[in-house]
Amino acid sequence: MSRFLFVSSTLILLISIIFYNSTYTKSLYNTDILVTNPYTHKDIPALRTDITATTTTTTTALLTKQEYSQQLMLNAVKNTMSKTLHHAKITPHRSSARGHSDHGWLNTYHSFSFADWYNPRFNGFGSLRVLNEDRVKANSGFPTHPHRDFEIFSYVLSGELTHRDSMLQKGAEGAQSDRFYRMRRGDVQFTTGGTGIAHSEFNEDSTRSGEPVHFLQIWAIPWKRGLEPRYHTRHFDEEQKRLGFVPILSPLKGGVDASREQEKAAEPTIPGTIPIHADFVMAAGLVAPEGRFEWNVGAKAAEATKRKVYVHLPMTKRGKAKVRLDGREDAVLSEGDGAFVDGVNAGDKLAVESIGDAEAEVIVLDTA
């Protein structure tokens, strides 16, 4: 009788082990589990062979299951740690959602409502109001036109763009200055519209036959109206942008209550940048494939601690550039895309990874 009970118990135990292992093996092939399975498809059949082999491999199967669970936990921790901005909301703004007009001489994309294109979802972001990605054909451009009460800046990506104040007669401009400047890649031209100013922007390049100029035109809302009109032009080094984000604009020292002397001195909060009349910082970086840059929100120059960051990836590499923000798979940007990063604080670190096949030119616009 006791021998019968022993044999019965042994059979029950073996059946339980086989059932347990069969269930686990089946779970490995469940579609939902394969999505997060840390093993490759090549490894799974090998594990299945171990499980269904001999009694000796049952222990190996159990150990493998334990390792499998541990690996899942490690992956979960790794994914969590890669997202450092848990409190931030990151919303991609796809290139296809931008306004687009092709006037022949001008091919333009609008990230925010502009001219004849209006979208109530895209009317600005903090003090950022306009971001146009323009291509202007040779011997074409924007004739003399006025601006008022906006901070306006052009960031040249390729080609040549000539900025000329309306008071300067063509052919009698003299040497290059803030009022007359032939801009090329790396140059930034800045205008404080204030009480009123007029200028032209033309592609007058006669040395590059038929080459359009490709640039970003960006507008920001100043902290007050009626400012004295002013120009600034500055070049930013290409190689420095390959080392990390290079600040381009930062708030004027003195802020909204800047004195006349501070306005005249035009000293920015971050040395080497162009001063802007807004709680606003602009930066640019060139991130090599598999490279990673970090943007320090506020750049230690912002006044407000609650910040918004807009990231833009210009169309410069024929679609080969791509970046990922904060390690998030739902925040991967292709050329022409942008992203709203909301709910961040000064001092936060925004990670930007280059995951494409070409160097990514990344523009950061940090605003209150």
Side-chain angles (χ1 to χ4, degrees), residues 80-339:
T80 302
M81 289 177 66
S82 68
K83 299 175 184 177
T84 59
L85 299 180
H86 306 288
H87 51 283
K89 180 180 179 181
I90 302 180
T91 308
H93 181 13
R94 300 302 177 194
S95 180
S96 58
R98 296 188 293 177
H100 177 234
S101 296
D102 190 344
H103 303 282
W105 65 273
L106 167 67
N107 189 1
T108 179
Y109 291 83
H110 310 314
S111 294
F112 301 95
S113 297
F114 188 82
D116 295 332
W117 183 74
Y118 174 75
N119 188 320
R121 294 187 300 150
F122 308 125
N123 276 332
F125 193 54
S127 57
L128 174 61
R129 178 59 188 84
V130 170
L131 196 169
N132 294 343
E133 186 163 356
D134 294 342
R135 285 185 174 86
V136 175
K137 288 186 176 180
N139 302 312
S140 302
F142 303 93
T144 300
H145 57 281
H147 288 294
R148 187 183 184 93
D149 287 327
F150 268 110
E151 304 286 277
I152 299 170
F153 36 107
S154 298
Y155 178 93
V156 179
L157 295 161
S158 64
E160 182 179 283
L161 183 68
T162 298
H163 156 75
R164 182 184 285 103
D165 180 80
S166 62
M167 299 301 291
L168 296 177
Q169 185 177 356
K170 189 173 181 179
E173 302 93 344
Q176 292 208 134
S177 66
D178 286 340
R179 297 176 67 192
F180 167 72
Y181 203 95
R182 295 194 188 280
M183 297 179 288
R184 297 181 177 86
R185 178 166 175 77
D187 289 333
V188 176
Q189 192 279 327
F190 181 89
T191 301
T192 292
T195 55
I197 203 166
H199 67 173
S200 63
E201 294 163 300
F202 248 78
N203 180 355
E204 298 179 357
D205 187 0
S206 59
T207 61
R208 299 184 180 94
S209 178
E211 182 181 352
V213 58
H214 182 195
F215 67 104
L216 303 179
Q217 185 174 120
I218 307 169
W219 299 17
I221 302 170
W223 47 47
K224 66 180 178 181
R225 296 188 174 193
L227 294 165
E228 181 181 349
R230 190 181 294 270
Y231 294 123
H232 296 287
T233 308
R234 193 177 184 91
H235 179 80
F236 294 88
D237 184 68
E238 194 92 343
E239 291 308 312
Q240 288 298 314
K241 293 177 189 175
R242 291 191 168 94
L243 301 177
F245 284 116
V246 173
I248 290 172
L249 304 177
S250 67
L252 174 75
K253 275 193 175 180
V256 66
D257 297 319
S259 65
R260 181 177 292 274
E261 289 74 22
Q262 287 174 316
E263 287 283 359
K264 187 176 181 180
E267 187 178 354
T269 305
I270 301 176
T273 63
I274 294 172
I276 182 172
H277 297 89
D279 189 356
F280 188 102
V281 180
M282 175 185 178
L286 298 170
V287 195
E290 300 184 10
R292 182 179 184 274
F293 285 0
E294 273 192 351
W295 172 245
N296 185 358
V297 177
K300 299 182 180 179
E303 294 183 11
T305 56
K306 299 294 183 182
R307 313 293 301 170
K308 300 173 183 288
V309 178
Y310 189 82
V311 180
H312 180 67
L313 186 63
M315 301 181 291
T316 58
K317 299 296 182 180
R318 299 182 182 275
K320 295 180 180 179
K322 188 177 291 188
V323 298
R324 177 169 52 217
L325 306 182
D326 192 42
R328 306 186 188 195
E329 293 304 327
D330 59 352
V332 172
L333 308 183
S334 299
E335 291 183 41
D337 291 346

